[in-house]
Structures are given as C-alpha cells and as structure tokens.
C-alpha cells in the first residue's frame, strides 16, 4: 500500500467542511465528523492508557482495540463501507467474560479513582460512551450498520471492567482495590454489622 498522506495542511477544511472517504464534503459540525472525532479521541486516550504499567494481556488487548477503533473510524469516514468485523465484537465479549470472572462482585458503586491507569481507563470509558451517543445520533440521521454502535457499547463496558482490573493490579505483585462510593447504605450496614 502506498503512502496515503502526502500533505497534512491542505487548507481544504478552512471553509468548515471536511472530506469523507467517498470524496464528498460535509460540514465539520455534522453528525459523521462528530462521531469520527469522538472515536479518534477515544483512540488517543487509549494510547495514553498504554503509557502506564499494565498487565501484558491487557496491553495486548488495548493495542488491538486501537486497531479496531481505527477500522471503526474508517467505516464512519466511508459511508456504506464495512471495516469493523464481527470478530472485533466477539473479542470484546470474550475479554469481558474473562476479566469479570476474575473480579470480586461489586458491593456498591465505585468512583473513577485509584491508580492513574484505572483513572485513565475510566476516562476512556466516558469518551467511549460519548462516541457511542454520537454514533447513535448519526444512525438516526442516516443509514448505519449496528456494528459500530454495538462495538462502542461493549467497549465502554469492558473499559469499566478494566478499570477495576487496573485498580487491583500492582507491578510488584501486590493487590490493590477499588475506591467505593461512600453511600449511606454502606455506612449503615457497617455500623449495624
């Protein structure tokens, strides 16, 4: 495959439009560029998460997710084109099952806190939810496959689970824990017990 980008500053977007993969130009304020931008932002935040100390299997998973998000963004950039495959969603389902099985049951809501890696996973989760909302909105405006929406929904779930994994993970082999919300119910239960 040849080089795709030969010039970065083309000035073609100075008028407030952007080019799609099918050579059409749309407003940068329209739904498709919004969804593409949110997916791109999510991918960038996952790149930042990859700068942290992570369990090797989580690192490999996140690297693959970055590639799948690039496919998803490409699919959004090319109306009617399919780049995100069914295997990508199956990978998320398998990772969810694997990591959930190794975690203790939640007793209460957890805060987006703890280790820096866990907090960054929470940032990724919230950006994934925003990207999902943008894809849902786009799908209400024009035909769109279900796969991008489903992938982002499942990915945000996985990122929540990974935040829990990362709060428990310590490179030295010790085990950390989540930061629970201090709810009135938990406070009462601890004083009654």
């Amino acid at each position: 495959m040849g080089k795709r980008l030969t010039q970065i500053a083309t000035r073609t977007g100075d008028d407030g439009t952007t080019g799609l993969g099918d050579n059409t130009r749309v407003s940068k304020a329209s739904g498709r560029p919004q969804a593409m931008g949110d997916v791109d932002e999510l991918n960038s935040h996952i790149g930042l998460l990859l700068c942290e100390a992570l369990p090797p299997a989580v690192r490999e998973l996140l690297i693959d997710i970055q590639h799948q998000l690039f496919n998803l963004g490409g699919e959004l950039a090319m109306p009617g084109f399919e780049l995100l495959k069914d295997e990508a969603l199956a990978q998320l389902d398998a990772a969810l099952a694997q990591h959930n099985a190794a975690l203790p049951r939640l007793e209460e809501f957890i805060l987006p806190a703890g280790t820096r890696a866990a907090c960054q996973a929470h940032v990724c989760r919230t950006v994934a939810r925003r990207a999902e909302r943008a894809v849902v909105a786009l799908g209400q405006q024009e035909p769109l496959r279900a796969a991008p929406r489903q992938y982002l929904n499942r990915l945000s779930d996985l990122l929540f689970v990974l935040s829990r994994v990362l709060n428990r993970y310590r490179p030295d082999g010790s085990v950390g824990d989540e930061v629970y919300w201090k709810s009135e119910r938990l406070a009462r239960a601890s004083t009654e017990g």
Side-chain angles (χ1 to χ4, degrees):
M1 176 168 39
K3 295 179 184 172
R4 290 179 177 249
L5 297 175
T6 57
Q7 183 178 349
I8 299 302
T10 62
R11 296 177 178 78
T12 57
D14 287 352
D15 65 353
T17 65
T18 191
L20 299 179
D22 63 359
N23 293 323
T24 60
R25 297 203 64 80
V26 298
S27 168
K28 290 181 179 181
S30 64
R32 196 167 285 273
Q34 179 67 52
M36 291 162 44
D38 288 346
V39 169
D40 187 32
E41 183 182 350
L42 172 58
N43 212 341
S44 297
H45 277 293
I46 290 175
L48 186 58
L49 177 54
L50 284 164
C51 294
E52 299 295 328
L54 303 171
V58 171
R59 178 173 301 284
E60 289 175 31
L61 175 64
L62 291 172
I63 290 169
D64 195 56
I65 287 169
Q66 279 198 303
H67 289 274
Q68 297 304 333
L69 286 172
F70 208 82
N71 287 338
L72 194 158
E75 185 167 324
L76 291 172
M78 293 180 273
F81 206 71
E82 180 181 323
L83 286 172
L84 190 66
K85 304 299 182 200
D86 292 340
E87 296 81 31
L89 188 60
Q91 178 192 36
L92 296 184
D93 284 334
L96 270 165
Q98 173 195 350
H99 290 292
N100 261 328
L103 289 169
R105 188 168 180 245
L106 278 174
E107 296 177 26
E108 189 54 81
F109 289 108
I110 60 171
L111 297 178
T115 67
R116 191 165 66 180
C119 289
Q120 182 60 30
H122 277 293
V123 171
C124 294
R125 171 186 59 80
T126 61
V127 175
R129 286 290 183 208
R130 179 164 27 93
E132 179 189 6
R133 290 190 302 271
V135 168
V136 167
L138 177 62
Q140 292 173 348
Q141 297 167 2
E142 54 187 277
L144 196 64
R145 285 185 340 117
R149 180 188 71 244
Q150 293 168 341
Y151 189 84
L152 290 168
N153 181 55
R154 205 79 90 254
L155 178 56
S156 62
D157 292 342
L158 176 61
L159 288 164
F160 176 81
V161 170
L162 290 180
S163 74
R164 296 188 66 209
V165 169
L166 295 174
N167 254 338
R168 298 177 68 74
Y169 171 74
R170 300 291 185 273
D172 66 4
S174 64
V175 177
D177 203 0
E178 283 104 11
V179 179
Y180 283 97
W181 170 51
K182 293 181 181 176
S183 73
E184 290 181 24
R185 184 181 67 77
L186 277 184
R188 277 193 310 271
S190 67
T191 58
E192 292 169 0

